[in-house]
Amino acid sequence: MCKRFLLLAAATMLAAATVAASDRQDDVSRTRKAAQVFNEIMSAPDKGVPHDLLAKAKCVAIIPGELKFAFILGGNYGRGVATCRTASGWSAPMFVAVDGGSVGYQIGGSSTDLVMLFMNDHALNHLLSDKFKLGGDASVAAGPVGRNAQADTDISLRAEVLSYSRTHGAFAGISLDGAVVQADRSGDHAMYGENVSRHQILDGKVAVPESARGLLKSLDQYSA
């Protein structure tokens, strides 16, 4: 009986998380949280993502840590946003989810923020797919940290995706080998409507929502 109750409670919480994912206010909060996380990381002295790598990146994904998902979904799940360069600047954010990974997204109930740089067109094409596996479909490496990346190895600079994490204030490159990145369609539909595709969002054909302007302004600032 106790086991059945726990399974029912877990199913209820998972359903609640799914409903929340399709709520527009949740999208707004997630976008603003992504901007906050990015600004905190980039403003730390001698830390952050190297500016020269940001200047070369085709797309950037930011997955803010959320404690509630550490408990509801077993500690290996996170939701965030991705934006790509267009002819007129950074695109409106597309909503994404990250699941799994050899190191785990959230460990021991702590909240871990993730940042991923998609460095070439091949990586961008993966981002437009339903889902892809880091280290399998797309090569991934722990990204170098600091003001620039000139002293780092060719291996990390040749990777399609460079990944970073921040836990308890400590920011570092991290290997997300085995993690699965997938589109969060419910988030896209809640923000933009059901007739808008991921290609339209990342191609810059969708108006940037007010809640995302702060994030895009920061990306402009640090990738100039």
Side-chain angles (χ1 to χ4, degrees):
M1 177 65 73
C2 182
K3 183 177 180 181
R4 181 177 299 177
F5 174 78
L6 290 174
L7 289 173
L8 179 61
T12 302
M13 287 189 292
L14 181 59
T18 303
V19 171
S22 57
D23 181 84
R24 192 176 190 278
Q25 186 55 47
D26 182 70
D27 285 355
V28 170
S29 298
R30 200 184 336 175
T31 304
R32 289 176 175 165
K33 180 64 175 176
Q36 177 187 337
V37 165
F38 182 74
N39 282 321
E40 288 174 354
I41 287 171
M42 297 305 295
S43 62
D46 299 320
K47 296 291 184 180
V49 180
H51 294 198
D52 52 343
L53 289 181
L54 275 173
K56 296 174 183 176
K58 295 284 186 178
C59 307
V60 177
I62 303 166
I63 317 295
E66 293 184 80
L67 280 172
K68 62 182 179 180
F69 288 102
F71 296 108
I72 293 174
L73 298 172
N76 288 320
Y77 185 87
R79 301 181 307 153
V81 299
T83 177
C84 294
R85 293 183 185 277
T86 71
S88 57
W90 293 95
S91 72
M94 182 184 82
F95 294 88
V96 296
V98 177
D99 187 10
S102 58
V103 297
Y105 174 63
Q106 291 159 335
I107 303 172
S110 64
S111 179
T112 300
D113 306 309
L114 298 180
V115 176
M116 290 178 283
L117 305 187
F118 295 79
M119 301 306 297
N120 54 35
D121 288 332
H122 195 231
L124 167 58
N125 289 334
H126 283 307
L127 189 59
L128 287 168
S129 64
D130 286 334
K131 64 180 179 179
F132 64 95
K133 188 174 183 179
L134 293 170
D137 301 314
S139 61
V140 62
V145 174
R147 296 300 182 189
N148 60 68
Q150 294 177 0
D152 262 272
T153 65
D154 290 338
I155 295 176
S156 67
L157 300 182
R158 286 200 305 265
E160 294 176 328
V161 180
L162 298 177
S163 52
Y164 300 85
S165 73
R166 184 181 68 160
T167 305
H168 300 306
F171 181 71
I174 188 172
S175 175
L176 292 177
D177 213 29
V180 174
V181 181
Q182 54 190 322
D184 180 356
R185 293 179 183 275
S186 63
D188 292 340
H189 292 168
M191 179 63 80
Y192 306 114
E194 295 190 4
N195 295 323
V196 174
S197 71
R198 287 166 288 162
H199 288 76
Q200 289 173 317
I201 297 170
L202 295 188
D203 282 347
K205 297 177 180 177
V206 175
V208 175
E210 178 67 31
S211 60
R213 290 180 183 175
L215 173 60
L216 304 193
K217 182 178 179 179
S218 295
L219 283 167
D220 274 335
Q221 175 186 346
Y222 290 108
S223 64

